Amino acid sequence: AKRARRKTSGVSTLDIWPWKYLVPWMREDLFARRDVRKLRGQSQLVPNNSYDMEDILMPLHEFINDPIALDIVHNGATFQIAGLTNNSYFSEAHEVRHCVLKYHTLGEYVLEVAKKRLDGMLYVGLTENHKESATMFANIVGAQVISKHTISSLSADNKDSEQRSSLPNTRSDANEQGDTHQTLKNVSSTSKDETARENLTVGKLTEAYESCISSLRNSQAERRVNSLKQISPANFTKEARRQDPEELLQEIASLNSLDVELYKYAQYIFTKQQANVMQNMVYDDKLTSALSTNTYPSFYYSTSSKFLTLSITGLLSLLFIFFFVNSRRRTSKVKL
């Protein structure tokens, strides 16, 4: 754990809920089972069911009923969104969580709180719809981020111009001249960076994300393979998961009933978001196409508009003739 923390200056998995509680617990269990194997002199293990190899790791049926899993893992998403995890600042979160574990009907109230919080969020994404979620994020949130950045860039430009105007016009010695030159150089580089960022668009944001996530997936896949080598011959694959009995899967679903319902609600919100984004994109495309074709694309080309135009032209002509005749009559009376 210490080596993992020293390797990077970024955020470690051991700093994030729930892994900062689960990883030490799982690691301790793995090492304890490894020590028992060494005492027995057991080196060769025959692979059977990766989810039920107690000589290497905790079997799945034991894991789901462990007090730590019951407290942190099951319905973790619902409790997290409701702000009732064991990492919460709410002092009574622990009591509320244990009341829900004891009286399951109380979980419906926690679920309603979590649903309302989802409703109030700017954006909801789904892991299994990762690409669609990322694209939607760029269209919903990215546009706002870019807009705010543009405003901050303008503020930075104004500040830079004030700095340039306050630079000294006279130089008393070589040191002052060097400082002034460095200041101008810094202002110039800052302006260039801001100009480059101002050209950021939602499309470019999506492209940058796709490039980033591609390399991240490769590194994560490599890390997963190396990690599983440490607990060989256990290997968690789709084929291995198919060996789990249906009764066990049903028990897992029952223990996570709140999360199952919250997930369905998140799918509903996600579908609505998709429809709204698509509607806005279609509207923007139509507006852009209309403006690029003609400033007033449909006005002059409809039959009713043509009739209205001719009617107005005729009325103006009659008014002109009427005023012209009246003016001639007045002129002739004056001459007489």
Side-chain angles (χ1 to χ4, degrees):
K2 293 179 180 178
R3 288 199 303 270
R5 288 176 185 273
R6 282 198 296 266
K7 284 181 182 178
T8 176
S9 59
V11 178
S12 170
T13 303
L14 297 174
D15 296 326
I16 303 172
W17 184 92
W19 309 113
K20 69 177 183 179
Y21 300 103
L22 297 179
V23 170
W25 167 55
M26 295 175 181
R27 185 174 54 214
E28 184 179 347
D29 179 76
L30 285 170
F31 290 166
R33 293 173 191 270
R34 183 193 63 182
D35 294 340
V36 171
R37 291 198 307 273
K38 286 182 178 180
L39 287 174
R40 290 178 184 170
Q42 191 176 5
S43 57
Q44 296 295 327
L45 293 172
V46 179
N48 185 13
N49 181 357
S50 296
Y51 289 89
D52 191 14
M53 298 183 70
E54 60 181 357
D55 289 334
I56 298 179
L57 43 82
M58 186 184 299
L60 182 58
H61 65 273
E62 290 183 18
F63 172 84
I64 64 174
N65 291 295
D66 190 280
I68 294 181
L70 292 171
D71 190 37
I72 298 177
V73 178
H74 302 314
N75 295 316
T78 303
F79 285 116
Q80 184 182 19
I81 293 175
L84 295 172
T85 69
N86 63 326
N87 203 43
S88 174
Y89 287 107
F90 180 50
S91 59
E92 296 178 350
H94 180 78
E95 287 78 5
V96 173
R97 207 168 56 255
H98 280 263
C99 279
V100 173
L101 289 174
K102 188 175 181 180
Y103 306 102
H104 298 293
T105 54
L106 296 178
E108 295 298 322
Y109 296 100
V110 178
L111 179 61
E112 288 304 312
V113 172
K115 284 182 177 180
K116 287 181 180 179
R117 289 199 169 181
L118 277 188
D119 285 329
M121 290 182 181
L122 180 62
Y123 159 85
V124 174
L126 300 176
T127 302
E128 70 275 17
N129 297 98
H130 189 85
K131 187 171 184 180
E132 296 88 342
S133 297
T135 303
M136 193 185 304
F137 178 86
N139 281 282
I140 295 176
V141 183
Q144 295 192 18
V145 173
I146 292 170
S147 176
K148 288 182 178 179
H149 175 74
T150 302
I151 294 172
S152 64
S153 298
L154 292 173
S155 301
D157 288 342
N158 292 334
K159 187 180 290 185
D160 291 340
S161 62
E162 290 176 3
Q163 290 177 354
R164 285 195 293 270
S165 63
S166 62
L167 290 175
N169 293 322
T170 59
R171 297 169 178 82
S172 57
D173 53 30
N175 290 332
E176 186 176 356
Q177 184 175 359
D179 293 341
T180 303
H181 175 73
Q182 185 62 38
T183 304
L184 287 169
K185 186 177 179 181
N186 292 338
V187 169
S188 176
S189 63
T190 302
S191 299
K192 288 178 181 178
D193 291 340
E194 295 294 344
T195 303
R197 291 176 191 171
E198 283 176 8
N199 294 328
L200 184 65
T201 62
V202 171
K204 290 180 180 179
L205 182 66
T206 306
E207 289 177 9
Y209 173 78
E210 287 294 333
S211 174
C212 174
I213 199 65
S214 177
S215 61
L216 183 61
R217 281 200 187 103
N218 293 334
S219 63
Q220 291 287 358
E222 184 179 351
R223 182 181 299 177
R224 183 177 188 275
V225 171
N226 292 333
S227 297
L228 289 176
K229 286 179 181 178
Q230 304 298 320
I231 55 173
S232 178
N235 191 11
F236 302 100
T237 61
K238 291 182 179 179
E239 290 72 20
R241 284 196 288 274
R242 292 192 184 102
Q243 298 180 34
D244 293 325
E246 185 64 28
E247 295 80 11
L248 184 61
L249 300 179
Q250 291 296 331
E251 185 180 357
I252 293 172
S254 176
L255 288 168
N256 291 275
S257 58
L258 299 180
D259 274 6
V260 171
E261 291 301 316
L262 186 66
Y263 170 71
K264 291 178 182 177
Y265 193 69
Q267 284 182 310
Y268 166 71
I269 296 176
F270 183 78
T271 303
K272 283 203 309 182
Q273 285 178 168
Q274 273 188 318
N276 290 335
V277 169
M278 290 300 298
Q279 186 177 358
N280 292 336
M281 290 176 67
V282 169
Y283 174 78
D284 291 342
D285 290 342
K286 284 184 178 180
L287 184 62
T288 303
S289 176
L291 291 174
S292 62
T293 304
N294 197 308
T295 308
Y296 308 100
S298 59
F299 180 78
Y300 291 108
Y301 297 102
S302 63
T303 306
S304 58
S305 298
K306 286 184 178 180
F307 177 78
L308 182 61
T309 304
L310 291 173
S311 300
I312 293 174
T313 304
L315 181 61
L316 290 174
S317 301
L318 289 174
L319 288 173
F320 177 78
I321 294 171
F322 176 77
F323 284 115
F324 178 78
V325 171
N326 280 344
S327 62
R328 289 292 299 273
R329 286 180 181 177
R330 290 175 183 174
T331 305
S332 61
K333 287 180 181 180
V334 171
K335 286 182 179 180
L336 290 173

